Amino acid sequence: MFKKIVLASIFLSGPAMADSVSFDTVKGEFKITSEMYSQTYNIGNEKIGRTEYLTVNAKRLKSDAGRTLVAITGSVGGSGCSEVVSIATIVEEGVYFSPALNACGGVNEIYIDNGVVIIQALERDEITPITYKVKGDWASENNGPLTSGYKFIE
């Protein structure tokens, strides 16, 4: 209930100021610019897509000579899922986003285990756990196929 009240107050508080987050990668600067409820994603000067969330948070999980992994969490608001997550894999050849991974009851933890990104989240009831695993363009939900294949980024 608390999360819904917080999201409602964020949504009703008016437009957000422009903000950005960036990470250096093997392909150049990966940058997310937010203005109001719209986010633009760039690598260097190249626009690679956009999203429309209340807010977006990004955290670099790993960066080495060949790739950078970034966990991106978008706050949805309303009566749907509170958050969706995507893992951006940035390599010399380009940027790959995992599908939108629903975290309707929120995200508990995101970490890497043996090269696989693990997202531990909760279902809408905020009790039932759900685990996503992502490696490159492969993703699973509770060790099975994804039940939803919606794109995270347009």
Side-chain angles (χ1 to χ4, degrees):
M1 178 72 159
F2 175 73
K3 290 180 185 178
K4 291 178 184 174
I5 292 169
V6 170
L7 286 173
S9 65
I10 290 170
F11 184 72
L12 297 173
S13 66
M17 300 297 286
D19 199 8
S20 69
V21 63
S22 64
F23 303 103
D24 289 328
T25 73
V26 67
K27 189 151 175 71
E29 182 186 35
F30 174 71
K31 185 174 184 178
I32 304 170
T33 305
S34 298
E35 189 160 341
M36 294 186 65
Y37 306 119
S38 177
Q39 299 80 36
T40 303
Y41 298 76
N42 292 294
I43 285 282
N45 294 325
E46 177 188 355
K47 180 179 175 182
I48 55 175
R50 62 183 217 70
T51 56
E52 292 184 2
Y53 296 110
L54 295 178
T55 61
V56 167
N57 294 310
K59 176 182 176 184
R60 180 174 31 208
L61 299 173
K62 181 179 181 177
S63 189
D64 56 33
R67 70 179 177 156
T68 301
L69 298 173
V70 178
I72 305 166
T73 304
S75 297
V76 179
S79 60
C81 288
S82 64
E83 300 174 314
V84 294
V85 178
S86 182
I87 304 302
T89 302
I90 305 162
V91 293
E92 187 80 33
E93 298 80 29
V95 182
Y96 306 96
F97 289 86
S98 74
L101 306 170
N102 293 326
C104 296
V107 175
N108 286 337
E109 187 176 12
I110 301 175
Y111 61 94
I112 298 175
D113 184 24
N114 291 323
V116 177
V117 179
I118 310 293
I119 299 102
Q120 293 183 334
L122 296 172
E123 293 282 5
R124 187 180 312 256
D125 64 8
E126 299 181 1
I127 298 170
T128 307
I130 185 167
T131 301
Y132 296 104
K133 295 180 181 179
V134 177
K135 185 169 184 175
D137 60 358
W138 171 86
S140 73
E141 179 179 326
N142 292 332
N143 292 318
L146 292 178
T147 58
S148 167
Y150 295 109
K151 290 182 179 181
F152 178 82
I153 193 168
E154 295 176 5

